[in-house]
Amino acid sequence: MPLLQIEDDGFRLDGEPFRILSGGLHYFRVHPDHWRDRLRKARLMGLNTVETYVPWNLHQPQPDTFRLYHGLDLPRFLDLAAEEGLRVLLRPGPYICAEWEGGGLPSWLLADPDIRLRSGDPGFLGAVADWFRQLLPPLHDRLATRGGPVLAVQLENEYGAYGDDTAYLEGLAELLRRHGVDVPLFTCDQPADLERGSLPGVLATANFGSGSARNLTALRTARPSGPLLCAEFWVGWFDRWGGEHIVRDAREAAQELDDLLATGASVNFYMFHGGTNFGFMNGANDKHTYRPTVTSYDYDAPLDEAGDPTEKYAAFREVIAKYAPVPAEFPPARGARFALEPLELTESAGLLHAAPALGEAVASRRPLTMEELGQDYGFVLYEADLPEAGPALLELERVRDRAQVFIDGQPVGVLEREGHEHSLSFAVPRPGAALAVLVENQGRVNYGQGIHDRKGLLGQVLLNGAPLDGWTSRPLPLTSLDDVPFAPSSAPPTGPALYRGTFAVDRPADTFLHLGGWTKGNAWVNGFALGRYWSRGPQRSLYVPGPVLREGLNELVLLELHAPGRGRRVALREAPDLGPVEG
C-alpha cells in the first residue's frame, strides 16, 4: 500500500495528491460474517478508506486476558479492507467514547479507587502500555509502511473536551511509537477544543456535522498549514432510552457534504454503518442526569443497522461522484430476511431462584461494587436479612444504575439512577425477612468526567436511618446460561425470570425480534447476546444477524425483569421498529 504523507498543502499518497474519503465502520458492532459485505458497500459508495475504533474493554476484558479472534479478529478485518482496496484510519484509544460501554476503557481499571483515567496517572499509563504491547505487534504488517492498509493512527480521542494535559498526550504518542506505529498520528477534536486536544507535530483534525466553512476555518486557525480533515462528519446521531429515534434529512446532509468537499477537505463519515451495541455494550451519558444509550447503533447512517443502503447512501454517492471516481456497480437494495410469528417461550426459570447457578455470592459487611467483585457487566444480586418486622425505609446512597427491591421474593419497588431515586418505603412482614436488591449496570458513562463510573450499590445502605450490615453480593454477568434450571410452566414466575423457547428456520437470514408487551430485559439467540430491550422505547425490536441462526432448531432466551408479554409470545419480522422519529 502507498504511504500517506502530510504536506503543507494537503495529503499525498506516494507523492500524488490524495483526498481521504472515509467512513466509520466498527468491526465490533458488526457480525464478522458481515464484514466483507459492509466493506464492499463502502467501496461502492465511493469511499477509499474506512475508519474503526478499537475497544480495549473487549480485547482485554481482564488484565491477564487478551483476545484477538472471532468477532475481535482485527487483523482479519484489516486484511478484508485491503482486499477490497480500502485504506484504514485506526483509532485504538485507549479511550474511544463511541457511545460504547465506559468509552472502551475496561472496567477492571476502576477496581483501583484512586485511579485517574485519561491522565498521566502511573497506574493508568502502565495499563495502557500493556494494552498497546499486546495489541500493536500483531498489527505491524497491516501498517502502510509494511504494505498494509493502515494509513494513520489516532492518538487518544477528543481529548480537548476532557483535559489539557499535553504531557499525557506526549506519553501516549511515545508509547505508540515504541510499540511499532510508524505511520502518521492524528488527533481529533470539536473545533472549540482543538487547542487543548492537539499536540505539536501531530496532525490535528476536527469533528462536526454542519457549518463546514466555519469549522474548517477554526481548524485552519489552529493549524495554519497542513491537510484539512473532518475526522467525524456526523451524518446522524444515537438514541437513548426514553427519547425518540433521531434522524437527519438525507438531502440536508448531502448538501453539507457537498459544502465540505467543495473546500478540498478530506472527510470521514461518522457513521458509514453504525451496527449494533450487542450484549451489554451500550454506553451512557450523564450531564447531571444519567441517560443510557439504546442497543441499536443504526445512527441513521448510509447503511442501516442490517447493512442495507438507505436514501442517504444514494445521496452521498451522488455527491462523492462530483469529486472522485465512483464504481459503476451499485449494491443490492436489501439483504435476505425472514419472518416468523407468533413464537412462544414455553419454559421459564425465576432469576432469584436460579441465581446460585449463575454466580457465587461473596459475604461482606457492606454491598460490594461490581468492580470489587471483579465483574464487568450484567447484574449484581445483593441480599441481607432484615432484623425487625414493621414499617421500613430503605435508603441507598448511590444506585448504579437500576435497583429492583424484593422482600421474601416479592417485588416492593424500583429505584433508578436516571430518576435520582434513593429511598423506598415498605412493610417488613416478619423478623429475618429476606431483602434482595437486584442492580443492573445499564452501561457505563462514555463521555466526560463521568467515565469513572463504578457499578452496583455504592456508599451507605440505611434501614430506618441506621446502617444495614451483613450482606452477600452475587455477581450475575450472564455470560453463560447453560446452568439455568429451565422447566415448562403454564404461569410466569413472580419477579424477574428467564424465558426460553425454540423455533425452526429453513434458511437462516437476518430478522428482527419484536417484543411488544414485554417490559425490560435482555435477549439471546443460540447463546449470542442480542442486547437490551425496554418498553420505554424508542427502540422496540432487536436486530438478529443471520449468521447467529442455523438451519433447523434455534433457541431464544429472554431475561424479563418485570412482566412478560401476553402469552409469552414474541415475533420475528422482516423490518425493524426503531421508534417514533424525533420532531
Side-chain angles (χ1 to χ4, degrees):
M1 284 280 182
L3 301 181
L4 183 71
Q5 299 156 283
I6 297 174
E7 306 291 348
D8 286 347
D9 60 349
F11 293 115
R12 294 184 181 274
L13 211 57
D14 276 1
E16 296 297 321
F18 180 68
R19 187 203 297 259
I20 295 173
L21 298 170
S22 178
L25 173 55
H26 300 160
Y27 61 97
F28 49 93
R29 282 183 158 125
V30 179
H31 192 282
D33 289 0
H34 286 154
W35 288 347
R36 188 183 296 275
D37 171 79
R38 309 311 193 246
L39 289 163
R40 175 174 170 267
K41 289 171 179 172
R43 177 179 62 81
L44 293 181
M45 197 177 82
L47 302 184
N48 56 31
T49 304
V50 292
E51 164 268 311
T52 186
Y53 282 126
V54 183
W56 182 4
N57 57 353
L58 287 190
H59 285 282
Q60 194 177 17
Q62 296 295 330
D64 59 353
T65 303
F66 181 74
R67 304 186 298 195
L68 205 65
Y69 49 81
H70 301 316
L72 296 173
D73 191 347
L74 178 55
R76 175 174 173 263
F77 177 80
L78 299 176
D79 291 344
L80 290 174
E83 289 176 18
E84 203 58 51
L86 294 166
R87 299 167 177 90
V88 177
L89 299 177
L90 193 68
R91 307 171 78 184
Y95 163 82
I96 65 172
C97 184
E99 290 74 57
W100 191 252
E101 222 276 352
L105 299 173
S107 63
W108 48 262
L109 292 170
L110 296 173
D112 176 356
D114 300 318
I115 197 163
R116 292 178 292 111
L117 303 175
R118 303 182 72 188
S119 78
D121 178 349
F124 179 67
L125 281 182
V128 174
D130 183 62
W131 158 235
F132 284 166
R133 177 186 63 80
Q134 297 185 80
L135 172 71
L136 296 173
L139 305 183
H140 286 171
D141 290 345
R142 279 79 181 181
L143 299 175
T145 46
R146 295 165 176 81
V150 177
L151 289 181
V153 171
Q154 183 173 294
L155 176 66
E156 241 273 0
N157 186 61
E158 288 195 327
Y159 184 68
Y162 184 86
D164 58 1
D165 187 348
T166 300
Y168 164 63
L169 294 179
E170 289 173 341
L172 289 183
E174 194 278 327
L175 281 176
L176 289 168
R177 296 305 190 200
R178 184 195 312 168
H179 291 291
V181 174
D182 54 4
V183 296
L185 302 180
F186 67 99
T187 59
C188 78
D189 288 280
Q190 296 180 46
D193 302 323
L194 281 164
E195 183 177 350
R196 292 185 298 276
S198 58
L199 193 64
V202 172
L203 175 68
T205 71
N207 297 346
F208 53 85
S210 60
S212 297
R214 178 182 72 257
N215 289 311
L216 290 175
T217 296
L219 178 56
R220 179 56 74 214
T221 300
R223 291 295 171 92
S225 64
L228 295 175
L229 168 61
C230 177
E232 290 186 12
F233 176 65
W234 302 320
V235 304
W237 208 247
F238 59 92
D239 296 342
R240 66 170 180 86
W241 292 115
E244 294 178 306
H245 178 45
I246 301 174
V247 300
R248 184 180 187 186
D249 181 76
R251 290 171 298 178
E252 184 268 340
Q255 182 59 58
E256 289 286 355
L257 173 63
D258 204 343
D259 293 345
L260 191 157
L261 295 181
T263 69
S266 292
V267 67
N268 175 62
F269 299 110
Y270 196 95
M271 299 287 299
F272 164 68
H273 172 50
T276 309
N277 297 315
F278 291 118
F280 296 104
M281 289 297 107
N282 66 279
N285 284 283
D286 193 350
K287 298 174 182 178
H288 308 296
T289 298
Y290 175 78
R291 304 289 195 193
T293 304
V294 304
T295 298
S296 171
Y297 203 64
D298 176 87
Y299 218 86
D300 196 36
L303 287 191
D304 67 16
E305 186 175 8
D308 289 330
T310 66
E311 180 185 359
K312 203 168 281 179
Y313 185 101
F316 285 3
R317 190 174 189 270
E318 184 177 340
V319 172
I320 291 170
K322 294 172 60 176
Y323 299 93
V326 171
E329 182 184 358
F330 203 85
R334 202 184 85 161
R337 299 279 185 274
F338 82 94
L340 181 66
E341 57 179 303
L343 195 166
E344 186 176 355
L345 307 186
T346 57
E347 297 180 307
S348 64
L351 181 63
L352 301 188
H353 173 72
L358 297 169
E360 185 173 345
V362 178
S364 59
R365 182 184 60 82
R366 58 168 178 82
L368 301 177
T369 66
M370 271 193 176
E371 294 73 24
E372 288 172 321
L373 292 165
Q375 180 185 357
D376 42 18
Y377 319 113
F379 299 76
V380 180
L381 179 61
Y382 297 101
E383 296 178 287
D385 291 335
L386 301 179
E388 298 177 353
L393 175 65
L394 180 69
E395 296 176 87
L396 307 176
E397 183 176 343
R398 282 177 286 166
V399 173
R400 299 290 185 270
D401 299 300
R402 190 173 187 270
Q404 294 173 251
V405 182
F406 307 86
I407 301 297
D408 285 341
Q410 298 299 309
V412 294
V414 177
L415 297 175
E416 292 189 340
R417 173 182 183 179
E418 187 169 354
H420 304 281
E421 298 163 350
H422 304 283
S423 62
L424 185 67
S425 297
F426 49 82
V428 180
R430 59 181 180 84
L435 168 68
V437 184
L438 179 67
V439 178
E440 178 185 5
N441 165 6
Q442 294 190 121
R444 288 184 179 82
V445 171
N446 57 258
Y447 190 82
Q449 298 298 325
I451 57 175
H452 297 79
D453 190 12
R454 296 169 178 87
K455 296 301 188 182
L457 293 182
L458 284 63
Q460 282 194 317
V461 176
L462 303 178
L463 182 68
N464 292 330
L468 180 61
D469 296 331
W471 291 84
T472 61
S473 305
R474 187 185 302 272
L476 302 176
L478 304 182
T479 50
S480 172
L481 304 177
D482 292 344
D483 296 327
V484 174
F486 286 107
S489 59
S490 57
T494 299
L498 290 145
Y499 296 86
R500 181 170 69 177
T502 58
F503 59 98
V505 174
D506 294 330
R507 184 175 301 171
D510 286 3
T511 188
F512 295 89
L513 176 65
H514 286 250
L515 295 143
W518 295 74
T519 307
K520 190 181 195 300
N522 301 74
W524 294 260
V525 169
N526 296 329
F528 181 90
L530 299 178
R532 308 177 202 259
Y533 65 89
W534 198 353
S535 59
R536 180 177 290 183
Q539 180 177 359
R540 300 189 186 281
S541 65
L542 292 174
Y543 171 57
V544 183
V548 309
L549 300 171
R550 50 187 177 236
E551 281 191 31
L553 213 58
N554 292 263
E555 178 190 72
L556 170 65
V557 174
L558 298 184
L559 168 62
E560 170 55 54
L561 297 172
H562 296 281
R566 180 179 298 178
R568 289 182 281 177
R569 292 186 177 95
V570 299
L572 297 173
R573 296 176 182 157
E574 294 186 5
D577 181 357
L578 297 180
V581 173
E582 183 182 51

